[in-house]
């Protein structure tokens, strides 16, 4: 893949990473405010744990995306970007345009889904 093309995708990844970080941060703040109001009186251990659980479930999707994006940026730095992490084959450029954080080629992705 051309260097300039990779740089474009890198910028997109970095923007998306910043967005998710902002998002997670504001959710965290929101959570703290709500939790402060609701639990001023009943703040026992079990309640605190179940709140943490709910919050984790909400964030798990974005966390996962963030991890994928960071891994992709890492691969750009290591000059392995665009290569499937499973088989080492080239990932289709159209696929990377649609999902710059894609780590697998289409064949491996399909195989993963079947498992
Ligand atoms: Zn592959």
């Amino acid at each position: 893949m051309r260097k300039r093309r990779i740089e474009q995708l890198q910028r997109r990844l970095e923007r998306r990473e910043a967005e998710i970080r902002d998002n997670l941060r504001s959710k965290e703040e929101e959570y703290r405010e709500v939790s402060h109001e609701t639990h001023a009186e009943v703040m026992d251990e079990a309640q605190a744990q179940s709140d943490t659980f709910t919050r984790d479930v909400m964030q798990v999707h974005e966390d996962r995306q963030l991890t994928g994006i960071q891994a992709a940026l890492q691969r750009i730095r290591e000059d392995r970007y665009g290569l499937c992490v499973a088989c080492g084959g080239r990932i289709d450029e159209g696929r990377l345009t649609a999902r710059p954080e894609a780590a697998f080629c289409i064949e491996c992705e399909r195989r993963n889904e079947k498992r």
Side-chain angles (χ1 to χ4, degrees):
M1 209 186 316
R2 286 220 202 106
K3 197 155 195 264
R4 203 188 301 161
R5 187 80 194 101
I6 294 181
E7 280 166 5
Q8 278 174 357
L9 294 173
Q10 180 179 7
R11 273 196 294 278
R12 272 177 57 194
L13 285 164
E14 282 167 352
R15 250 202 312 271
R16 185 75 189 116
E17 184 191 23
E19 259 173 39
I20 295 178
R21 275 185 198 282
D22 278 359
N23 234 342
L24 289 174
R25 202 176 306 131
S26 59
K27 264 189 208 152
E28 184 76 19
E29 274 160 23
E30 217 171 88
Y31 165 77
R32 264 196 223 116
E33 277 162 29
V34 170
S35 138
H36 188 72
E37 285 161 18
T38 335
H39 301 307
E41 291 158 31
V42 274
M43 190 60 187
D44 61 41
E45 189 81 355
Q47 185 66 53
Q49 269 172 11
S50 99
D51 273 1
T52 308
F53 179 73
T54 312
R55 185 188 43 158
D56 285 352
V57 167
M58 276 169 17
Q59 288 185 356
V60 97
H61 179 68
E62 279 186 320
D63 275 346
R64 213 176 273 164
Q65 259 195 332
L66 191 60
T67 309
I69 288 167
Q70 283 166 343
L73 288 168
Q74 176 76 20
R75 287 195 298 279
I76 293 175
R77 281 194 294 270
E78 293 174 354
D79 220 14
R80 288 185 291 126
Y81 185 71
L83 299 178
C84 172
V85 298
C87 71
R90 273 185 204 291
I91 304 176
D92 182 70
E93 196 170 325
R95 178 169 162 74
L96 287 169
T97 306
R99 269 187 60 205
E101 74 274 28
F104 298 102
C105 69
I106 192 77
E107 287 84 8
C108 292
E109 177 87 41
R110 285 209 189 106
R111 218 172 299 141
N112 287 344
E113 276 165 14
K114 270 182 213 152
R115 261 207 308 255

